[in-house]
Amino acid sequence: MSTIVKRTSYVSISAALLIALLASSQSHAETKSRVTTTITVGEMCGGCVKQIIARFDKVKEVAKIHCDIQTKSVVLYPAKNIRLSPAKLWETMESIGKHPLKLVGPDGTFTSKPKKN
């Protein structure tokens, strides 16, 4: 009887792991399917990262922000079913004194301020 209990436990654990894996991969696919926008700036330090994150946290269309000091870049993940405006993102960076050198997103690559859209 203990063998049956063990097999049942393994089946239950396996089922729980499979459900967790499926939920995780669905969440990952959802995040991955969102089109990101990357902004490259001339200079970036720890203080800059704090300013950038604080400013973009106030933009409701942005779900997640990732700053990389080494590459001097900011990757912005849009909220679900949102397409970020390149002009608005450029202006947001300028509002904290950071001049974007390049913005790459679903609407193209920009090396100067995009027109309003």
Side-chain angles (χ1 to χ4, degrees), residues 18-34 80:
L18 182 59
I19 290 170
L21 179 63
L22 290 173
S24 171
S25 62
Q26 181 182 6
S27 174
H28 177 69
E30 189 175 294
T31 302
K32 196 172 182 177
S33 69
R34 295 182 192 167
K80 190 174 182 178

Side-chain angles (χ1 to χ4, degrees), residues 44-81:
M44 186 180 292
C45 64
C48 297
V49 169
K50 287 179 184 177
Q51 277 187 315
I52 291 166
I53 290 173
R55 182 61 183 96
F56 279 106
D57 272 344
K58 296 177 184 174
V59 179
K60 66 180 180 179
E61 294 87 3
V62 175
K64 182 179 169 186
I65 307 138
H66 174 75
C67 296
D68 187 331
I69 294 174
Q70 289 182 344
T71 61
K72 301 174 186 165
S73 63
V74 179
V75 180
L76 302 164
Y77 297 81
K80 190 174 182 178
N81 299 322

Side-chain angles (χ1 to χ4, degrees), residues 83-111:
R83 188 172 187 118
L84 298 173
S85 162
K88 184 175 180 182
L89 297 177
W90 192 284
E91 290 169 357
T92 302
M93 287 297 285
E94 288 181 331
S95 74
I96 58 171
K98 302 302 289 175
H99 180 72
L101 299 177
K102 185 160 110 175
L103 184 147
V104 180
D107 293 318
T109 300
F110 302 90
T111 54

Side-chain angles (χ1 to χ4, degrees), residues 1-16:
M1 183 146 183
S2 64
T3 305
I4 295 172
V5 172
K6 286 183 182 179
R7 285 185 184 167
T8 305
S9 295
Y10 287 130
V11 171
S12 298
I13 291 170
S14 296

